[in-house]
Amino acid sequence: MVSDAVTAQSMGSGDMPVLATPAMMALMENAAMLAVADQLQEGSTTVGGHIESSHLKPSKIGDKVSAVAEVTKVDGRKIEFKVAAYSGDTLLGEGTHLRFIVDRARFLSKI
C-alpha cells in the first residue's frame, strides 16, 4: 500500500504525495530477490548490482502496488531479471535488474 512513508515528499525524491520512484524500485528489487530465494544453497543470498527502470504512472496514497520479477539470464553467480510494478492492471514502471549470488557470512565479514 502506498503510505505517507513511501511518498516522494517523505523520501526526498520529489515534492508530491505520490509513490516515490526509489520505493517502486525497491519493491521490484525485492520481487527479484524473492523470485530466486528458495533456489539458493543454504547460507547464500543475492545482492543487487544494478537496476534500471522507467516510472510511467503515479500512484496515490492508499493504492495497492505489486511487483513481479522474471529471470532472463543466469551466468554463474550473476542473475539478470525483467522487473515490473503494477497497481491493479496498470503498469507503473518496468526495467531490468542484476543480482549476484553471495555467501551471506562471507559477504558480511568484508564490511
Side-chain angles (χ1 to χ4, degrees), residues 34-104:
L34 293 174
V36 297
D38 64 349
Q39 302 296 313
L40 301 175
Q41 294 179 355
E42 189 173 331
S44 293
T45 190
T46 59
V47 295
H50 180 81
I51 189 165
E52 186 173 315
S53 175
S54 61
H55 194 162
L56 306 168
K57 303 254 182 198
S59 299
K60 67 185 181 310
I61 292 174
D63 283 353
K64 183 178 179 183
V65 177
S66 61
V68 295
E70 175 187 343
V71 174
T72 58
K73 184 178 179 182
V74 177
D75 182 11
R77 298 183 316 111
K78 184 167 58 170
I79 308 172
E80 296 178 24
F81 299 86
K82 177 180 173 186
V83 292
Y86 294 90
S87 181
D89 292 333
T90 302
L91 177 66
L92 301 178
E94 61 186 341
T96 58
H97 181 42
L98 171 65
R99 297 188 72 77
F100 293 94
I101 300 169
V102 299
D103 178 91
R104 184 183 305 270

Side-chain angles (χ1 to χ4, degrees), residues 15-34:
D15 62 2
M16 306 231 309
V18 296
L19 179 66
T21 300
M24 181 193 70
M25 292 177 75
L27 190 62
M28 292 189 292
E29 190 169 6
N30 188 47
M33 179 195 67
L34 293 174

